[in-house]
Every structure is written in structure tokens, then in C-alpha cells.
Amino acid sequence: MSKVFNEFINMPDNYNPVTPNQANSKNNVNTEEEFNEISRILDEGYILDTENYADESYQDTHGEPTGTPKGKTRIDKLREKYPLKKKYSGFSFADACNNPKPRKWLIKNYIYEGRASGLIYGESGGGKTFVAIDMACSIAASEIETWQGMRSLKHGDVIYIAGEGGDGVKKRMAGWASENGVNPDSVRLYVIDESFCLDSETGDFNVDNTIANILDITENPALVIFDTVNRTMEGDENSARDMSKYIRAGDKISAVFDCCVMYIHHSGKADKKSARGSSALKAAE
């Protein structure tokens, strides 16, 4: 059948498509000649006004139907206009039902394993960096079996980006190792102590160079922590557009390494129970 239509063909109510062998049946109003003619028109790719074509007076007035010869379809033209440059990953509903994958955890109920994101926020001096370091070190240290009693703990390499400087982080990590009796050489955690902007599109302190630096350290980070959002963001944290751009940069790192990214952020001044600035960051976790 023709690939050239006016979106679809409305066949007349009195048209009953039949095979040539059925055409001479006394119960069939169509003749073999009609059948063959309509089939020829459709096969040759003409746009056919079938509703009026069935009317003999229309044929007498307008003659044989004319139209556009078969050629490129509307879909062919769309594919030329919008060539596929990168195939996006995805799955069908059937795939989801037939192959459901249970969620995996680095720390059960707290930090996902694989491509994901998380957020820890609190007021200054509230202990959010202590919590993040405790989580990071527990994941990076193979000697540690639990985190705060959570038996489901998976180990892996951790990148900790200390945007507020490394000196304070060093003291906390040394205290953690002493408290937990861990050999520091066995902990697969590396700190980047420079302040840079994930959402920057220029210079060396951007997401692409961050990926390059991580690759220089490890090929398979399980977790990347940004402490804090303010020290790793160029845009305005109160702007939903700027925050979304920042989140997309973090998502890029998560996608490249198939790892979880975690953001450390301050709570609001007026509302201590909410993260400061745009709610886009909270919505993305």
C-alpha cells in the first residue's frame, strides 16, 4: 500500500475491500475493475480522495484521480531534518516488567550505588561535613563492615571535593581513622582541595576538567562528593536556571563513571529545614 497519504485515508462507508475472486459475488457492490483500479492507485502512491472517488458524479467532473507520485514519506523527511547523532539509552515498559532490577546501595537507605545523586544539607557548624566524611570513609575503607549499624555497606573508591579547603577535612579524617582503628593506607579516598565551578563553560575549573582529574585518580569511583555547592558553583544558587545547569554538570559526572554524586549544602537562613537557594537541587536528589 502507498506510503503517501494525507495523514490517513477515510474509506467510504459503502466501500468493501475484497479480493478479485470475491468481486463478482452478488452480495458485493464492488466490481473487480473497481478493486483493481483502487489497488493500482494506492500501489503507485497517489493521494486519493477515496470518499469522493466512490461517487461516479465526482469522477465525471474531475476525471481520473491525480496526486503526488510515491517518493519520500513525511517520516523520511523528518529523519533527514533531524538526523540521529546520539542514541539515548532507555527501555520499554515490557523490559521494565520482565527485567526489574532491585535498587543497589553503597549504604542501605542512604546512598545509592551507580548513577544517582544525593544531598546533605544543614546550617553552618551543624555537622554535615562530619556525616559526609563518615560515610565517605566507611565506603572507602574495606576494614569497615558497617556504617552506623547499617549492615548493607559496599566498598569502593571515593572522591571528596573539599571546596572550602583541605585543612579542616584532614583533621576530621585523621580523627575518623583514629576512632575506627583503620590503617590510613587501606582507605581508597582521595581529596581534591581546590574550589572550582562545575557549571562553568570556560577555563580549566569546569566539569570536563573535573572528569579528567577524577580519571587521573581512579577509573571507577563509587561516590563523588561536592563540599559545598556554593564553593563548586559559578551561577546564582537562588536561580532555578543556574541550579539546573549545575545539576546537569553533576549528572554528567554520574553518567560518565556510573557513580553516585553527593552534594553538601547549607540550609536556608529563614527555614533551617530546607536547603538554601533554589529547590531544583532538592528535587534532583
Side-chain angles (χ1 to χ4, degrees), residues 210-231:
T210 302
I211 291 172
N213 272 271
I214 294 173
L215 274 172
D216 193 51
I217 299 166
T218 174
E219 297 178 357
N220 299 295
L223 176 65
V224 178
I225 299 176
F226 299 98
D227 186 4
T228 61
V229 170
N230 180 263
R231 291 300 184 96

mmCIF file of all heavy atoms in Angstrom, residues 210-231:
data_model
loop_
_atom_site.group_PDB
_atom_site.id
_atom_site.type_symbol
_atom_site.label_atom_id
_atom_site.label_comp_id
_atom_site.label_asym_id
_atom_site.label_seq_id
_atom_site.Cartn_x
_atom_site.Cartn_y
_atom_site.Cartn_z
ATOM 1 N N THR A 210 37.162 18.446 35.593
ATOM 2 C CA THR A 210 36.922 17.666 36.810
ATOM 3 C C THR A 210 36.910 16.180 36.484
ATOM 4 O O THR A 210 37.488 15.355 37.205
ATOM 5 C CB THR A 210 35.588 18.081 37.460
ATOM 6 O OG1 THR A 210 35.612 19.475 37.761
ATOM 7 C CG2 THR A 210 35.341 17.291 38.737
ATOM 8 N N ILE A 211 36.234 15.818 35.381
ATOM 9 C CA ILE A 211 36.210 14.424 34.936
ATOM 10 C C ILE A 211 37.635 13.943 34.648
ATOM 11 O O ILE A 211 38.021 12.826 35.017
ATOM 12 C CB ILE A 211 35.317 14.279 33.695
ATOM 13 C CG1 ILE A 211 33.846 14.492 34.075
ATOM 14 C CG2 ILE A 211 35.494 12.905 33.042
ATOM 15 C CD1 ILE A 211 32.897 14.562 32.903
ATOM 16 N N ALA A 212 38.430 14.792 33.980
ATOM 17 C CA ALA A 212 39.812 14.430 33.657
ATOM 18 C C ALA A 212 40.631 14.212 34.931
ATOM 19 O O ALA A 212 41.440 13.268 35.012
ATOM 20 C CB ALA A 212 40.449 15.520 32.799
ATOM 21 N N ASN A 213 40.433 15.060 35.939
ATOM 22 C CA ASN A 213 41.150 14.906 37.207
ATOM 23 C C ASN A 213 40.741 13.636 37.937
ATOM 24 O O ASN A 213 41.576 12.950 38.533
ATOM 25 C CB ASN A 213 40.911 16.127 38.100
ATOM 26 C CG ASN A 213 41.907 17.241 37.856
ATOM 27 O OD1 ASN A 213 42.967 17.280 38.468
ATOM 28 N ND2 ASN A 213 41.576 18.143 36.941
ATOM 29 N N ILE A 214 39.453 13.323 37.903
ATOM 30 C CA ILE A 214 38.986 12.092 38.541
ATOM 31 C C ILE A 214 39.591 10.877 37.843
ATOM 32 O O ILE A 214 40.052 9.928 38.496
ATOM 33 C CB ILE A 214 37.447 12.021 38.535
ATOM 34 C CG1 ILE A 214 36.852 13.123 39.430
ATOM 35 C CG2 ILE A 214 36.959 10.650 39.011
ATOM 36 C CD1 ILE A 214 35.343 13.245 39.348
ATOM 37 N N LEU A 215 39.614 10.905 36.511
ATOM 38 C CA LEU A 215 40.210 9.807 35.745
ATOM 39 C C LEU A 215 41.679 9.615 36.082
ATOM 40 O O LEU A 215 42.202 8.492 36.055
ATOM 41 C CB LEU A 215 40.060 10.075 34.243
ATOM 42 C CG LEU A 215 38.757 9.642 33.578
ATOM 43 C CD1 LEU A 215 38.707 10.148 32.148
ATOM 44 C CD2 LEU A 215 38.599 8.121 33.622
ATOM 45 N N ASP A 216 42.346 10.706 36.407
ATOM 46 C CA ASP A 216 43.754 10.642 36.759
ATOM 47 C C ASP A 216 43.966 9.954 38.107
ATOM 48 O O ASP A 216 45.068 9.467 38.404
ATOM 49 C CB ASP A 216 44.337 12.061 36.797
ATOM 50 C CG ASP A 216 45.859 12.069 36.849
ATOM 51 O OD1 ASP A 216 46.483 11.391 36.007
ATOM 52 O OD2 ASP A 216 46.420 12.741 37.732
ATOM 53 N N ILE A 217 42.895 9.917 38.903
ATOM 54 C CA ILE A 217 42.959 9.309 40.238
ATOM 55 C C ILE A 217 42.442 7.871 40.213
ATOM 56 O O ILE A 217 43.072 6.951 40.706
ATOM 57 C CB ILE A 217 42.141 10.141 41.248
ATOM 58 C CG1 ILE A 217 42.710 11.562 41.343
ATOM 59 C CG2 ILE A 217 42.112 9.468 42.612
ATOM 60 C CD1 ILE A 217 41.789 12.533 42.038
ATOM 61 N N THR A 218 41.265 7.686 39.639
ATOM 62 C CA THR A 218 40.634 6.373 39.584
ATOM 63 C C THR A 218 39.705 6.290 38.383
ATOM 64 O O THR A 218 39.091 7.285 38.001
ATOM 65 C CB THR A 218 39.826 6.073 40.863
ATOM 66 O OG1 THR A 218 39.116 4.828 40.705
ATOM 67 C CG2 THR A 218 38.824 7.167 41.159
ATOM 68 N N GLU A 219 39.591 5.115 37.826
ATOM 69 C CA GLU A 219 38.699 4.910 36.686
ATOM 70 C C GLU A 219 37.291 4.541 37.142
ATOM 71 O O GLU A 219 36.344 4.619 36.348
ATOM 72 C CB GLU A 219 39.246 3.811 35.772
ATOM 73 C CG GLU A 219 40.582 4.150 35.138
ATOM 74 C CD GLU A 219 41.117 3.014 34.282
ATOM 75 O OE1 GLU A 219 40.458 1.940 34.242
ATOM 76 O OE2 GLU A 219 42.185 3.191 33.669
ATOM 77 N N ASN A 220 37.155 4.127 38.393
ATOM 78 C CA ASN A 220 35.861 3.621 38.867
ATOM 79 C C ASN A 220 35.468 4.188 40.231
ATOM 80 O O ASN A 220 35.381 3.438 41.218
ATOM 81 C CB ASN A 220 35.888 2.092 38.937
ATOM 82 C CG ASN A 220 36.146 1.447 37.597
ATOM 83 O OD1 ASN A 220 35.336 1.571 36.690
ATOM 84 N ND2 ASN A 220 37.277 0.761 37.480
ATOM 85 N N PRO A 221 35.219 5.475 40.313
ATOM 86 C CA PRO A 221 34.751 5.995 41.603
ATOM 87 C C PRO A 221 33.334 5.504 41.899
ATOM 88 O O PRO A 221 32.483 5.452 41.012
ATOM 89 C CB PRO A 221 34.767 7.511 41.392
ATOM 90 C CG PRO A 221 34.551 7.683 39.920
ATOM 91 C CD PRO A 221 35.268 6.529 39.279
ATOM 92 N N ALA A 222 33.107 5.121 43.135
ATOM 93 C CA ALA A 222 31.754 4.717 43.542
ATOM 94 C C ALA A 222 30.941 5.924 43.989
ATOM 95 O O ALA A 222 29.723 5.962 43.855
ATOM 96 C CB ALA A 222 31.826 3.695 44.672
ATOM 97 N N LEU A 223 31.651 6.934 44.513
ATOM 98 C CA LEU A 223 30.989 8.111 45.068
ATOM 99 C C LEU A 223 31.870 9.338 44.855
ATOM 100 O O LEU A 223 33.091 9.282 45.064
ATOM 101 C CB LEU A 223 30.732 7.907 46.563
ATOM 102 C CG LEU A 223 30.134 9.063 47.362
ATOM 103 C CD1 LEU A 223 28.715 9.377 46.877
ATOM 104 C CD2 LEU A 223 30.134 8.742 48.860
ATOM 105 N N VAL A 224 31.244 10.444 44.424
ATOM 106 C CA VAL A 224 31.931 11.729 44.301
ATOM 107 C C VAL A 224 31.155 12.736 45.139
ATOM 108 O O VAL A 224 29.941 12.900 44.951
ATOM 109 C CB VAL A 224 32.012 12.204 42.838
ATOM 110 C CG1 VAL A 224 32.693 13.568 42.754
ATOM 111 C CG2 VAL A 224 32.771 11.185 41.980
ATOM 112 N N ILE A 225 31.826 13.395 46.075
ATOM 113 C CA ILE A 225 31.177 14.331 46.995
ATOM 114 C C ILE A 225 31.643 15.755 46.712
ATOM 115 O O ILE A 225 32.842 16.008 46.582
ATOM 116 C CB ILE A 225 31.485 13.957 48.461
ATOM 117 C CG1 ILE A 225 30.949 12.555 48.774
ATOM 118 C CG2 ILE A 225 30.887 14.989 49.420
ATOM 119 C CD1 ILE A 225 31.290 12.068 50.174
ATOM 120 N N PHE A 226 30.672 16.671 46.618
ATOM 121 C CA PHE A 226 30.975 18.090 46.408
ATOM 122 C C PHE A 226 30.648 18.863 47.687
ATOM 123 O O PHE A 226 29.482 18.988 48.065
ATOM 124 C CB PHE A 226 30.150 18.643 45.242
ATOM 125 C CG PHE A 226 30.435 17.961 43.927
ATOM 126 C CD1 PHE A 226 29.615 16.946 43.462
ATOM 127 C CD2 PHE A 226 31.532 18.326 43.171
ATOM 128 C CE1 PHE A 226 29.887 16.302 42.260
ATOM 129 C CE2 PHE A 226 31.815 17.693 41.968
ATOM 130 C CZ PHE A 226 30.989 16.676 41.514
ATOM 131 N N ASP A 227 31.676 19.365 48.340
ATOM 132 C CA ASP A 227 31.521 20.060 49.618
ATOM 133 C C ASP A 227 32.197 21.442 49.503
ATOM 134 O O ASP A 227 33.410 21.561 49.595
ATOM 135 C CB ASP A 227 32.175 19.220 50.716
ATOM 136 C CG ASP A 227 31.943 19.767 52.116
ATOM 137 O OD1 ASP A 227 31.208 20.763 52.248
ATOM 138 O OD2 ASP A 227 32.519 19.202 53.071
ATOM 139 N N THR A 228 31.412 22.469 49.287
ATOM 140 C CA THR A 228 29.954 22.567 49.266
ATOM 141 C C THR A 228 29.477 22.993 47.879
ATOM 142 O O THR A 228 30.283 23.286 46.994
ATOM 143 C CB THR A 228 29.487 23.640 50.267
ATOM 144 O OG1 THR A 228 30.052 24.907 49.852
ATOM 145 C CG2 THR A 228 29.902 23.336 51.670
ATOM 146 N N VAL A 229 28.138 23.078 47.723
ATOM 147 C CA VAL A 229 27.560 23.550 46.467
ATOM 148 C C VAL A 229 28.051 24.958 46.155
ATOM 149 O O VAL A 229 28.462 25.259 45.036
ATOM 150 C CB VAL A 229 26.017 23.523 46.544
ATOM 151 C CG1 VAL A 229 25.407 24.245 45.330
ATOM 152 C CG2 VAL A 229 25.505 22.094 46.622
ATOM 153 N N ASN A 230 28.033 25.821 47.159
ATOM 154 C CA ASN A 230 28.413 27.213 46.954
ATOM 155 C C ASN A 230 29.837 27.348 46.429
ATOM 156 O O ASN A 230 30.134 28.213 45.598
ATOM 157 C CB ASN A 230 28.259 27.990 48.262
ATOM 158 C CG ASN A 230 28.637 29.447 48.130
ATOM 159 O OD1 ASN A 230 29.751 29.835 48.453
ATOM 160 N ND2 ASN A 230 27.707 30.255 47.636
ATOM 161 N N ARG A 231 30.753 26.490 46.898
ATOM 162 C CA ARG A 231 32.157 26.584 46.511
ATOM 163 C C ARG A 231 32.468 25.855 45.204
ATOM 164 O O ARG A 231 33.598 25.899 44.728
ATOM 165 C CB ARG A 231 33.036 26.015 47.627
ATOM 166 C CG ARG A 231 33.052 26.868 48.881
ATOM 167 C CD ARG A 231 33.566 28.283 48.611
ATOM 168 N NE ARG A 231 33.671 29.073 49.824
ATOM 169 C CZ ARG A 231 34.786 29.213 50.524
ATOM 170 N NH1 ARG A 231 35.889 28.597 50.147
ATOM 171 N NH2 ARG A 231 34.801 29.954 51.609
#
